[in-house]
Amino acid sequence: PTRPKPRRRAKALEELNPGDLVVHALHGIGRFVGMETREVGGFTREYLIVSYAGDDRLFVPSDTAEALQRYIGTEEPKLSRLGTAEWERTKARVRRKARDIAAELVRLYAARQSTPGHAFPTDSPWQRELEESFPYEETPDQLRAIRDVSADMAKPHPMDRLVCGDVGYGKTEVAVRAAFAAVVEGKQVAVLVPTTILAQQHHATFAERFGPFPVQVGLLSRFSSPAEQADTIAKVATGEVDVVIGTHRLLSKDVRFNDLGLVIVDEEHRFGVAQKEKLRKLRVEVDVLTLTATPIPRTLEMSMSGIRDLSIIETAPAARRPVRTFVGPFDERLVTAAIRRELARGGQVFYVHNRVQTIEREHRRLQRLIPEARVAVAHGQMDEDTLERTMLAFGTREVDVLLCTTIIEAGLDIPSSNTLIVDRADMLGLAQLYQLRGRVGRAGEQAYAYLFFPPNIRLTGQAHERLKTLAQFTELGSGMAIALKDLEIRGAGNMLGAEQSGHIEAVGFEMYMQILEEAARELRGEPSAEPAEVRLDVPVNAYLPDDYIDRDPLRLAAYRRIADAASPSEVDDARSELRDRFGPLPPPADALLSVAELRAVLRQAGVTELAVAEHELHGRVARLKPVRFGHEWQPIRLQREHPRAVLTEATSTLLLPVPDIEGPELVAWLLEAVRGLLVSDIVPA
């Protein structure tokens, strides 16, 4: 499975503030106090300070920052107590439960893997023609997702891939190309969307992209008349319709496919339990591609545990700008000014008022405030014809302001609409607000979002947190941060099921996901994904000076990025990233990266412990006996290379004299020694 990138985990630490709850892999749940540079044994390091129960404090060396993660959960957890077996007992309990859940997930995965599917060739001349007709330049992440989907479809068992990408990041094009590959092979495609409006929009997109080719695209939604629906259903049954786009109506018993090969699901979390059950059965039979803009942790659960394949699109299209977001009490003057400013630059406005009972009263108020604006009303309880006419009028710019409920939240793409006003934003969920904000700012214009709450009410704690989060996370690609914050505010029980929530609360969401992933790997007989811990103690000044990276959260994220590097090439990537962002490396920062490279080499070599003291190297090696260098056993080569070395096979320990050098020269010598002794020419005995 595609695991979360180190960069994303580092990002979570960037938002870490003193007082926040954290989880240390070995010591449990504590509270982050801050960062402190200390001199120990004549050498300077920076430490992350975490407080635990009973006023205990743990000083975590910055080069092992990967052991630390934010605690994500809703209940205020009990802080762990250092020096007891309590944390290990908690993890063991969660591990037992995770094994049960993983066993069920692995069973589903095995059923899918053993089911014969259709292997789609994805390299036909028509496919290339379709790809060349795409009017934009693909982002690197988008291309990667397209390649992932193509590779899955070419396999002889059903695909089940989840593509996560922020609103407007190009997920639809991934779906268009997958659908075309299936149609070229003579298979039918069902595109399932949560709302009628989105069905309409997807239908227009697919029909336009497939226009030059002999592909029939059908629409099945409540915008279609009974006669049109009956005609589409008949053509789907005979195979005349190649791609059918619709709401949950597609899952009705009367819809029968002639030869279904691919199901594309947009925002699966918006469907009900019954529809999800039908989708679950489909997953074992046909290729399934799921698209989501807000990667809700519940949706990610199976992906993170390796049961569903995951592609993440996190690169913004070139012209996108962050949406400027204002949160505050409702103010008629501000509303009037915001709408007039948008109309003055030739744009349109979404005005969300999510109560049908009072929407006409709001309509009258807007007409009074801005009499020159053409305002239309749209909500889900209107009859199909009126709603369709209203949406078309807005799409063709005959309407300036669309006063609507949250029916616009999923996927709607009106490039000329770049101001969003939400009345009673305190009543909406975080994912909903994030989706709504994604409706504006899609055409390279600077977009604005105004999230209002009544001036005379006291916000609940959750509402305050939601609005604060939206105001805080305005940068492009904030979907993952928003999703994790949503989990924190609403609770794991709501999103992952009550049965698991207690276990998530006990160890935090990220640790729970690691445990679940490990359990799934173990059941499938795969090696552990977690790198072995390496205890390293080298006398060298290795840290990031605060005059190099002056903000603690950024420095913390950089430490995590370096500590996450699992190979020398990843350390090089981290080194390049630091140079790009902060300039040439000062000596202590350069030494820190050299130590990270040493740690990566030791990990690859199976060395679990290495310390240098009084010109002597003390090492503990996990695999001494079964290692041979070419034709020489390791101990023989060791004696030849380093006659004064002492190797104790019984305890897997190694003592090695070290030259009288220190600092960067010492780290370089250690790297050379370890590479020569433990990495080159290793073959199994």
Side-chain angles (χ1 to χ4, degrees), residues 195-209:
T195 67
T196 308
I197 293 168
L198 190 53
Q200 193 92 351
Q201 186 167 296
H202 271 339
H203 179 260
T205 303
F206 276 72
E208 183 192 344
R209 295 286 283 119

Side-chain angles (χ1 to χ4, degrees), residues 528-550:
S528 170
E530 284 303 306
E533 192 198 354
V534 177
R535 295 181 63 185
L536 184 58
D537 186 8
V538 180
V540 61
N541 293 320
Y543 63 101
L544 297 170
D546 55 13
D547 58 357
Y548 180 58
I549 303 177
D550 58 2

Side-chain angles (χ1 to χ4, degrees), residues 108-120:
L108 283 172
Y109 182 77
R112 182 161 59 85
Q113 295 289 58
S114 61
T115 304
H118 188 90
F120 293 96

Side-chain angles (χ1 to χ4, degrees), residues 101 297-305 496 500 513 516:
I101 295 161
R298 180 190 59 198
T299 317
L300 288 178
E301 176 191 5
M302 287 178 77
S303 304
M304 284 182 144
S305 54
L496 293 169
Q500 295 172 67
M513 282 303 185
L516 186 63

Side-chain angles (χ1 to χ4, degrees), residues 420-432:
L420 166 77
I421 295 168
V422 182
D423 180 26
R424 289 309 305 263
D426 55 304
M427 302 293 285
L428 299 179
L430 185 51
Q432 266 186 314

Side-chain angles (χ1 to χ4, degrees), residues 396-631:
T396 54
R397 305 185 69 156
E398 294 164 42
V399 167
D400 299 314
V401 180
L402 186 69
L403 172 59
C404 56
T405 57
T406 55
I407 57 167
I408 63 157
E409 80 177 79
L412 195 68
D413 188 4
I414 310 283
S416 53
S417 183
N418 284 302
T419 291
L420 166 77
I421 295 168
V422 182
D423 180 26
R424 289 309 305 263
D426 55 304
M427 302 293 285
L428 299 179
L430 185 51
Q432 266 186 314
L433 288 167
Y434 186 65
Q435 289 275 21
L436 285 169
R437 188 171 68 182
R439 296 310 109 224
V440 296
R442 297 166 76 93
E445 290 282 344
Q446 179 60 62
Y448 300 89
Y450 299 85
L451 310 179
F452 290 123
F453 53 85
N456 54 349
I457 67 156
R458 186 181 177 84
L459 290 179
T460 65
Q462 287 201 3
H464 180 267
E465 278 296 312
R466 286 196 297 270
L467 294 174
K468 188 175 107 180
T469 299
L470 257 293
Q472 182 183 353
F473 295 108
T474 57
E475 64 183 273
L476 296 170
S478 298
M480 185 70 78
I482 295 261
L484 291 174
K485 196 70 184 172
D486 202 6
L487 179 77
E488 203 171 329
I489 294 167
R490 287 209 279 156
N494 291 2
M495 306 183 84
L496 293 169
E499 182 192 354
Q500 295 172 67
S501 64
H503 302 291
I504 293 163
E505 298 295 348
V507 295
F509 175 72
E510 195 175 332
M511 176 63 71
Y512 175 79
M513 282 303 185
Q514 283 177 22
I515 289 171
L516 186 63
E517 183 181 348
E518 283 300 308
R521 281 178 171 277
E522 197 180 313
L523 287 165
R524 290 202 301 263
E526 295 176 6
S528 170
E530 284 303 306
E533 192 198 354
V534 177
R535 295 181 63 185
L536 184 58
D537 186 8
V538 180
V540 61
N541 293 320
Y543 63 101
L544 297 170
D546 55 13
D547 58 357
Y548 180 58
I549 303 177
D550 58 2
R551 284 181 52 215
D552 282 3
L554 286 178
R555 210 158 65 256
L556 185 52
Y559 279 129
R560 180 67 184 261
R561 170 84 176 91
I562 294 164
D564 264 325
S567 67
S569 65
E570 287 183 19
V571 175
D572 283 343
D573 290 345
R575 183 180 269 111
S576 301
E577 200 174 299
L578 282 177
R579 281 198 191 112
D580 283 350
R581 290 181 71 185
F582 305 106
L585 295 165
D590 200 34
L592 181 73
L593 284 151
S594 298
V595 169
E597 187 178 354
L598 177 60
R599 186 185 298 277
V601 171
L602 291 170
R603 190 179 281 133
Q604 289 175 344
V607 177
T608 56
E609 203 174 306
L610 187 142
V612 176
E614 297 175 356
H615 305 304
E616 195 165 52
L617 177 152
H618 300 254
R620 190 176 293 279
V621 189
R623 45 170 197 262
L624 267 177
K625 284 186 180 176
V627 172
R628 193 168 61 193
F629 292 85
H631 300 293

